[in-house]
Amino acid sequence: MKLTPTLCLSCTLAVFVGACTTYESSPIDLPRDNQTWLHHSTQLSQRPITLEQAREIGLLMNPDLNKARLKHLSSQEVARQSGWWEDPSISWEIARVLHGNPKDPNMTGDLGLTIPLTGIPALTRQVAEQYSEADYWTLRQTELDFLTSLEENWHKLNIAQIRRSLIQRRLDEMALENASIEKLVKLGEAEFATYQLAAQRLHDAKRDLQDAQENEQSLRQEIAKLLGLHPHVVPLFRLESKSSTLSIPVTLLQPTPAQILDSPIIHASLAQYGVTESTLKMEIRKQFPDIELGPTFNREDGEKEVGGSIGFSIPLWNRNRQAIAEAQGARDTARQDTILLWRNRLHTASTLFQQQQMLKNHCEQEQQRLVQFSTNLETIEKLYSIGETTLPEVAEARQQLYESQMNLIERLETLIPVQSQLRFLTSTHTNIQ
């Protein structure tokens, strides 16, 4: 078959078009997205949500988790498309003879194919796969961070609801007490200072109730944000708590060094270190040239010549030395970062465990005082019923019990985040799918 310029150009364009990637538009429609988001959030908020259901919703809708998933999917695709050889190069020249016999044009063509003897494409794919692995473990760590925040805010909300109930109940008691004490003051059976103290405690309790309501609302909004729900459904959705009483949680065990070593954040750091190792190998191999091979064709004045070509660059004294030094420095830094991260996690586990022990001990001591004040109140109320004591003394006993309950709540609020962090410090005891 006779080669023509049109045929050569057509073949070249066909190969080029077949290797190209087409563009697909992906416009952003924020109003439509808002309507879809609100619709899904409203459906999920039609019935009370338990902690287990909240975990399932958040693992699907939490924005940070979805962003981490997209990054992992992107790095997986990058790894799949990495490690290709360099595209071959084709050149073709056609010249028409102006003087002499112009019947046959002169042609020159060659095909160049780069043979990667240095193994750089394989290392490039390995680096991309290690990035993908690091993104995978980062995703797992993001899931643990979500579960930590969700459990912490969920239990804090439970405590906030109990606090609000206690304050409201105490306010109702104070209202009756103050009315009775005011009558006693008018009858001269109680001092005015007693009434002033009771009134001050009543005002303090009202402020405490306002603070408790604000805190509860803030926690509800934070949970809705963690779950990825629309802010308009915050007044609608209800959270179903398992406990309505103050109870001290059980002691959590300290994670072992082996469990910490198996945590996602350590795996992610090790994968990042692997990236720097492979990058250093790749930069070192770039010192050595690849070989370019290919056939050649030449036709001049009717004479046809077929041959081959080989080419490579000669590495001299300054080939890629700067990139190698930078890659080696990045490798050493990543190595040190991984070691420091491992040590910090060990310290964190030990610190959290010791804080748990101390805070739990404080809670138990406060609970003992709470039991004692409760017993004292029962005794004083019995004496008051038979006229052996006065109403201000009963009010004082009730106030002691109330303050002890509030102190126990404060201790529990301090203990909750410590236990949440300790529980999800590793993924050993979680069931993330």
Side-chain angles (χ1 to χ4, degrees):
M1 182 178 65
K2 186 176 180 180
L3 296 175
T4 63
T6 304
L7 179 61
C8 294
L9 181 60
S10 300
C11 294
T12 303
L13 289 176
V15 173
F16 175 76
V17 172
C20 289
T21 300
T22 59
Y23 167 76
E24 295 182 4
S25 176
S26 181
I28 299 177
D29 190 347
L30 293 180
R32 182 179 179 181
D33 175 78
N34 182 67
Q35 291 298 324
T36 304
W37 183 24
L38 179 59
H39 174 70
H40 292 322
S41 299
T42 303
Q43 286 186 327
L44 293 172
S45 305
Q46 291 179 350
R47 58 183 181 179
I49 301 174
T50 64
L51 178 57
E52 290 74 16
Q53 292 171 337
R55 288 172 179 168
E56 295 176 0
I57 294 172
L59 289 174
L60 290 176
M61 297 184 61
N62 180 268
D64 293 333
L65 283 176
N66 289 326
K67 183 178 178 180
R69 290 189 183 101
L70 286 175
K71 186 177 180 182
H72 179 225
L73 290 175
S74 176
S75 61
Q76 279 185 318
E77 181 62 19
V78 170
R80 194 174 70 86
Q81 300 296 342
S82 298
W84 292 82
W85 286 16
E86 292 290 339
D87 292 328
S89 62
I90 300 175
S91 65
W92 194 266
E93 297 179 3
I94 300 176
R96 173 68 68 179
V97 178
L98 298 179
H99 299 285
N101 183 11
K103 182 178 180 179
D104 296 325
N106 294 334
M107 301 181 184
T108 301
D110 62 72
L111 172 65
L113 181 64
T114 302
I115 309 298
L117 299 179
T118 57
I120 289 179
L123 283 173
T124 302
R125 185 178 183 87
Q126 181 178 342
V127 168
E129 289 174 347
Q130 288 169 332
Y131 271 123
S132 179
E133 181 185 359
D135 288 340
Y136 167 77
W137 290 112
T138 300
L139 169 60
R140 302 287 292 191
Q141 184 60 44
T142 305
E143 290 172 340
L144 290 182
D145 294 340
F146 159 74
L147 293 175
T148 302
S149 299
L150 177 61
E151 181 182 282
E152 178 180 339
N153 286 282
W154 189 276
H155 291 310
K156 279 186 175 181
L157 179 60
N158 185 28
I159 293 295
Q161 292 172 341
I162 296 175
R163 173 193 277 117
R164 178 175 51 81
S165 299
L166 287 175
I167 296 174
Q168 187 61 61
R169 186 174 63 188
R170 181 59 185 143
L171 276 173
D172 295 339
E173 289 179 345
M174 286 181 177
L176 296 176
E177 291 171 359
N178 285 14
S180 300
I181 292 175
E182 185 178 7
K183 292 179 181 179
L184 293 176
V185 171
K186 291 179 179 179
L187 295 174
E189 296 180 5
E191 297 181 358
F192 184 73
T194 302
Y195 175 74
Q196 285 182 315
L197 178 60
Q200 182 62 44
R201 286 176 174 175
L202 178 63
H203 292 309
D204 292 342
K206 288 180 179 179
R207 286 195 297 268
D208 291 341
L209 180 61
Q210 293 173 350
D211 294 340
Q213 291 171 340
E214 293 173 2
N215 183 41
E216 184 177 344
Q217 179 66 16
S218 176
L219 289 170
R220 289 172 60 86
Q221 292 175 338
E222 182 64 25
I223 291 175
K225 184 178 179 181
L226 280 172
L227 299 184
L229 299 178
H230 198 283
H232 289 176
V233 304
V234 174
L236 303 178
F237 83 104
R238 293 169 293 165
L239 306 180
E240 189 174 284
S241 297
K242 290 184 177 181
S243 175
S244 59
T245 58
L246 296 174
S247 59
I248 301 176
V250 297
T251 302
L252 300 178
L253 298 178
Q254 180 178 351
T256 64
Q259 290 173 338
I260 296 175
L261 187 62
D262 194 40
S263 60
I265 193 171
I266 298 295
H267 281 294
S269 185
L270 289 173
Q272 289 286 353
Y273 172 71
V275 168
T276 60
E277 278 273 291
S278 300
T279 302
L280 177 58
K281 293 177 184 178
M282 187 166 56
E283 296 297 339
I284 291 175
R285 291 190 186 184
K286 284 181 181 179
Q287 293 182 107
F288 308 101
D290 294 325
I291 295 180
E292 297 179 0
L293 298 175
T296 61
F297 171 79
N298 183 38
R299 178 179 180 176
E300 185 175 359
D301 297 333
E303 298 292 334
K304 299 179 181 179
E305 297 177 353
V306 178
S309 65
I310 183 172
F312 57 88
S313 59
I314 301 176
L316 296 178
W317 56 86
N318 193 31
R319 184 173 177 83
N320 216 37
R321 289 181 179 272
Q322 179 180 352
I324 292 173
E326 292 174 351
Q328 188 169 4
R331 192 270 306 270
D332 295 340
T333 301
R335 183 178 185 277
Q336 189 65 20
D337 288 342
T338 303
I339 293 174
L340 291 178
L341 177 63
W342 156 251
R343 293 177 179 178
N344 289 336
R345 299 294 283 188
L346 286 176
H347 279 292
T348 300
S350 177
T351 301
L352 290 174
F353 181 75
Q354 293 175 10
Q355 286 181 342
Q356 176 195 224
Q357 296 296 93
M358 179 184 65
L359 294 172
K360 194 167 183 295
N361 183 44
H362 292 170
C363 289
E364 291 172 349
Q365 293 176 0
E366 191 62 46
Q367 193 175 52
Q368 292 175 0
R369 287 191 287 269
L370 181 63
V371 172
Q372 181 180 355
F373 290 143
S374 179
T375 303
N376 293 342
L377 178 59
E378 291 178 359
T379 303
I380 291 177
E381 286 183 339
K382 289 180 181 179
L383 294 175
Y384 179 69
S385 63
I386 60 176
E388 295 293 331
T389 187
T390 62
L391 179 60
E393 292 178 344
V394 175
E396 186 66 27
R398 290 174 180 172
Q399 184 67 21
Q400 285 181 340
L401 178 61
Y402 167 74
E403 292 178 354
S404 181
Q405 290 171 332
M406 299 299 290
N407 289 335
L408 179 57
I409 285 176
E410 292 180 1
R411 297 292 185 270
L412 288 174
E413 281 185 328
T414 308
L415 177 61
I416 284 172
V418 172
Q419 285 204 318
S420 297
Q421 295 175 45
L422 188 61
R423 179 177 290 105
F424 296 104
L425 193 64
T426 67
S427 59
T428 306
H429 301 295
T430 59
N431 55 351
I432 305 175
Q433 301 296 329

